[in-house]
Amino acid sequence: MLVYKTEEEIEFMRASAKVLAQAHGEVASMIREGITTRELDQRAEEFIRDHGGSPSFKGYNGFEYSLCISPNAVVVHGFPSDYTLKSGDVVSVDCGVLLNGYHADSAYTYPIGEVAPEVLQLLEETKKSLYLGIEQAVAGNRMGDVSYAIQNHVEKQGYGVVRELVGHGIGKKLHERPDVPNYGKRGSGLKLQTGLTLAIEPMVNLGTKNVVQEKDGWTIRTKDFKPSAHFEHTVVVRKDKAEILTSFEYIEKALQ
């Protein structure tokens, strides 16, 4: 069942999204060579709880952490750990916040120190594909229009688009219908209507689109061990232009 949100519900999600954006900013201010991914996770949870929210991911299907932290060849669902970030790494930080009964979800991939130019380009183009997908999330379009915009852009650069993992609806539940694939055909799929809230999240690999799941049952990595990038926003389908509820503003400010 699709759940279309009222303006009141969207306001609740906007509040969740603001705390989430600020939590990402806190993490961004700490990201550097020599820090462990566990330290980032602890700070994010502390910040979210201090601001009246709770981490959406913690306890979700047994997941034990507030952040999914996925370095290098890990695409998504990486565990925070004693892994110490080093120059040349790229690391995806995915976070969700539950506040007033509504979720928001977003992700950002960071370069650490001196990163290879082709990997920096992967991050730039993946982030660009997110916004190209969001541009298509307007009433009257089809889900395939969103999916195609992402796939078309990144495959032109020679990258692999992950098939096994997709974006999703979001609201009272972290994962609602519909699925939001990062690949598809224009004019196909669900017709989008005002009030549908979506987490759009391109997951794009430098090499093959193929991924494998590690034995922990969570961690997804690229089959060829090449780096992956992941960017995500929570958005509302509107009549003329999608509204982005989450923000990278605090991240970008911290990285200046």
Side-chain angles (χ1 to χ4, degrees):
M1 187 174 109
L2 298 176
V3 183
Y4 296 93
K5 310 305 186 297
T6 65
E7 290 303 318
E8 182 181 21
E9 289 177 304
I10 291 167
E11 285 304 311
F12 285 135
M13 292 184 68
R14 196 189 313 281
S16 301
K18 183 171 184 180
V19 173
L20 174 56
Q22 292 171 331
H24 268 296
E26 285 292 305
V27 170
S29 70
M30 295 174 65
I31 280 197
R32 62 183 186 279
E33 296 174 52
I35 198 164
T36 67
T37 57
R38 192 186 309 278
E39 289 174 90
L40 301 177
D41 182 69
Q42 290 169 344
R43 178 60 188 135
E45 179 173 2
E46 180 182 66
F47 183 91
I48 291 165
R49 295 195 187 282
D50 284 350
H51 288 77
S54 57
S56 297
F57 300 169
K58 193 159 191 176
Y60 183 83
N61 290 339
F63 193 78
E64 297 179 5
Y65 308 96
S66 299
L67 300 178
C68 294
I69 303 185
S70 306
N72 301 319
V74 180
V75 181
V76 286
H77 302 165
F79 292 170
S81 68
D82 293 327
Y83 179 81
T84 301
L85 296 179
K86 62 185 186 301
S87 183
D89 284 346
V90 291
V91 58
S92 161
V93 177
D94 192 358
C95 186
V97 167
L98 173 64
L99 182 68
N100 299 322
Y102 289 84
H103 294 273
D105 189 3
S106 69
Y108 195 94
T109 303
Y110 298 86
I112 309 298
E114 296 296 321
V115 173
E118 66 268 22
V119 180
L120 288 175
Q121 186 75 10
L122 169 69
L123 269 57
E124 182 179 329
E125 300 299 344
T126 302
K127 186 178 179 184
K128 191 179 295 182
S129 79
L130 168 63
Y131 290 102
L132 290 171
I134 291 170
E135 283 180 8
Q136 298 300 315
V138 295
N141 276 2
R142 300 274 179 177
M143 187 64 77
D145 298 321
V146 177
S147 304
Y148 174 82
I150 293 168
Q151 179 184 14
N152 182 58
H153 179 74
V154 296
E155 287 188 347
K156 278 183 177 176
Q157 320 298 322
Y159 304 140
V161 179
V162 175
R163 264 56 168 185
E164 291 84 351
L165 300 147
V166 296
H168 51 91
I170 185 170
K172 284 188 175 180
K173 294 181 180 178
L174 178 60
H175 292 100
E176 297 181 349
R177 290 192 63 199
D179 287 347
V180 186
N182 296 307
Y183 61 97
K185 294 181 180 179
R186 282 184 291 193
S188 67
L190 174 73
K191 188 173 184 179
L192 303 178
Q193 296 182 42
T194 300
L196 190 62
T197 45
L198 305 171
I200 300 176
E201 49 177 325
M203 289 158 271
V204 179
N205 303 337
L206 185 62
T208 179
K209 67 180 185 296
N210 297 322
V211 297
V212 296
Q213 187 174 56
E214 301 286 16
K215 291 179 181 178
D216 61 27
W218 282 99
T219 306
I220 306 290
R221 66 160 173 83
T222 58
K223 191 171 183 179
D224 59 7
F225 290 96
K226 289 185 178 179
S228 185
H230 177 211
F231 289 86
E232 177 183 19
H233 272 314
T234 296
V235 308
V236 187
V237 174
R238 297 289 195 184
K239 185 178 178 183
D240 298 312
K241 183 180 180 181
E243 180 183 2
I244 304 173
L245 296 180
T246 46
S247 172
F248 295 153
E249 172 193 358
Y250 298 95
I251 292 173
E252 289 161 356
K253 194 174 292 184
L255 295 178
Q256 285 177 354

